[in-house]
Amino acid sequence: MSKHIGVLTSGGDCPGLNAAIRGLGKAACDRFGMQVTGFLNGFRGLALDQSRVLDSAMLSGVLTDGGTLLGTSRDKPHRMNIGGKTKDMTDAVVATYQRHHLDALVCLGGGGTQKNALRLVEAGLNVVTLPKTIDNDIALTDRSFGFDTALGIATEAIDRLHSTATSHERIIVVEVMGHRAGWLALEAGIAGGADVILLPEIPYDVEKVAAAIRQRTQRGRRFSIVVVAEGAMSVDHAGQVKELLEGKAAATEKPERAEFSERLKQFHEEHVGHTIALTRNLEKLTGQESRLTILGHLQRGGTPSAADRVLASWLGTECARVLDRGQHGVMLALQAGAIVPVPIADVAGRKRLVPVDHPLIAAARMVGTCFGD
Ligand code: F6P
């Protein structure tokens, strides 16, 4: 009997999702004779049983499309907003899986999706995941698809900002995505020749950033490009977050932990837009006119790069092979040039942050880049 596979995309979208769905769907249907059903809008479609049958013909022509043909959401199976109320929809998800007689479910997603997938594994479902995110911060994989495209977009933006920064002798601050991990800021900063790179992993001192810019001015370089990850923090802010995290870890009672979580959430909400203040401060401290560009969702939109199409297609087709073998409970990871299955349990809840002694940081420092530390 042919196998029946479900597939969904969850979390923030990114370029390469359609390439991965196409790789999986075509290989599953044509090579392994499986049936494939796509669930719509992430785990919501699974909870509410909203789906469409996928076949090879309808997956033709989607390789280069941005976004996801299945739609996506940040819904979690165990905490979903249904008609204004938060509900645990895990049983509904399991019921949909059984109603469709699925042999396995493939979830394409980032860190949050890996955690949700693990919950479904624990609920008894056969799940395989694929790593996607422009943040490139999923544990145990060298790359996630989406990252290369975002890197290209951010680099092109920095190149373009360079010429206007030079013409006006300005400081231009460029905010790129990355709440917890600074891979995009680091690599786009290096590729675009940024003078300052600020990462979530290295708390910065604005005085040191200003000093580095003033030093450039003294040397006759009358413009500066500052690339900042959205999650970068000053030393003061990082200290406050650390205190809250330590408080939460030490809290023994549930309400006390919830209180810390709420304060952390508030803190992060207030931190949005911090690059506006940073830009103003740099102008004040250096006396040099400054401007801010927030790249935002531009970095996630549009057609995937060649490298992302290749990686996503490879992961998708390998996934069909893994499903044919009957293997599950794994994420397919890129490790040292090969696609390998790793337990979802080893990935969920872990983030791959930039190590502060990473060779790329050392390389950037060698060409004079300031990290604000
Ligand atoms: O997880 C990827 C990511 O692009 C982050 O870098 C960013 O902070 C976040 O998604 C924003 O997502 P959204 O606006 O879709 O909630």
Side-chain angles (χ1 to χ4, degrees):
M1 229 180 69
S2 71
K3 284 190 173 161
H4 187 188
I5 304 304
V7 57
L8 60 83
T9 53
S10 164
D13 71 339
C14 78
L17 282 166
N18 288 326
I21 297 168
R22 169 183 174 271
L24 166 66
K26 285 197 168 206
C29 295
D30 298 348
R31 178 74 190 267
F32 299 107
M34 299 174 185
Q35 279 182 71
V36 182
T37 296
F39 289 90
L40 308 180
N41 306 322
F43 292 103
R44 177 164 292 264
L46 199 58
L48 303 180
D49 199 352
Q50 295 165 341
S51 65
R52 60 190 271 207
V53 172
L54 299 178
D55 61 29
S56 246
M58 69 175 60
L59 293 174
S60 277
V62 305
L63 174 66
T64 58
D65 292 349
T68 161
L69 63 93
L70 293 175
T72 188
S73 71
R74 292 198 184 272
D75 287 306
K76 302 174 173 73
H78 66 293
R79 239 179 19 211
M80 204 174 283
N81 184 328
I82 304 287
K85 289 211 177 89
T86 304
K87 287 194 178 162
D88 183 345
M89 298 297 281
T90 310
D91 289 348
V93 163
V94 173
T96 305
Y97 182 98
Q98 287 167 349
R99 197 175 308 116
H100 285 262
H101 304 289
L102 295 181
D103 293 289
L105 173 72
V106 181
C107 304
L108 280 60
T113 303
Q114 307 302 327
K115 285 201 239 173
N116 291 324
L118 181 62
R119 285 201 180 89
L120 297 186
V121 170
E122 288 162 358
L125 306 192
N126 299 336
V127 184
V128 176
T129 62
L130 299 184
K132 71 92 218 173
T133 167
I134 67 161
D135 295 341
N136 204 28
D137 60 352
I138 302 177
L140 301 183
T141 187
D142 297 342
R143 272 279 153 117
S144 55
F145 63 86
F147 177 69
D148 184 74
T149 310
L151 177 57
I153 295 168
T155 303
E156 192 196 333
I158 296 167
D159 289 348
R160 288 176 186 277
L161 291 168
H162 242 110
S163 64
T164 167
T166 318
S167 308
H168 287 269
E169 299 190 336
R170 282 174 172 158
I171 297 171
I172 293 201
V173 177
V174 192
E175 182 188 304
V176 302
M177 278 187 168
H179 263 307
R180 296 274 309 281
W183 293 107
L184 192 54
L186 177 62
E187 295 200 24
I190 291 175
D195 307 297
V196 179
I197 301 177
L198 302 179
L199 308 177
E201 293 87 348
I202 304 180
Y204 67 85
D205 178 344
V206 70
E207 296 284 351
K208 290 190 178 160
V209 176
I213 292 173
R214 280 195 299 262
Q215 205 179 42
R216 276 177 55 75
T217 313
Q218 278 157 18
R219 290 188 187 143
R221 310 296 284 155
R222 304 195 57 81
F223 71 93
S224 289
I225 299 287
V226 180
V227 173
V228 193
E230 62 184 327
M233 280 184 221
S234 67
V235 176
D236 281 357
H237 274 203
Q240 288 172 51
V241 169
K242 190 166 172 262
E243 256 176 50
L244 289 173
L245 285 171
E246 284 169 358
K248 187 177 166 189
T252 46
E253 303 298 320
K254 217 174 161 190
E256 200 190 347
R257 267 203 309 277
E259 163 82 24
F260 275 110
S261 299
E262 190 47 42
R263 281 170 59 196
L264 274 164
K265 199 171 140 208
Q266 236 176 342
F267 193 91
H268 290 306
E269 275 164 16
E270 281 161 19
H271 194 57
V272 172
H274 66 103
T275 44
I276 299 174
L278 172 67
T279 308
R280 262 196 227 118
N281 280 342
L282 288 177
E283 183 163 288
K284 242 188 264 160
L285 292 169
T286 61
Q288 198 173 350
E289 208 176 19
S290 306
R291 293 288 187 272
L292 168 67
T293 299
I294 299 178
L295 295 183
H297 293 83
L298 261 184
Q299 297 160 101
R300 285 200 339 219
T303 190
S305 66
D308 275 338
R309 292 179 206 180
V310 171
L311 178 59
S313 301
W314 192 12
L315 284 164
T317 52
E318 272 306 309
C319 182
R321 198 195 297 280
V322 162
L323 294 167
D324 183 60
R325 282 204 301 263
Q327 198 176 2
H328 49 81
V330 292
M331 178 187 86
L332 298 192
L334 180 70
Q335 288 183 358
I339 302 281
V340 294
V342 294
I344 297 173
D346 292 351
V347 178
R350 285 175 61 195
K351 266 199 193 301
R352 187 175 150 267
L353 303 180
V354 180
V356 292
D357 58 354
H358 193 278
L360 281 181
I361 294 184
R365 288 194 201 275
M366 275 197 265
V367 294
T369 309
C370 163
F371 283 84
D373 57 343

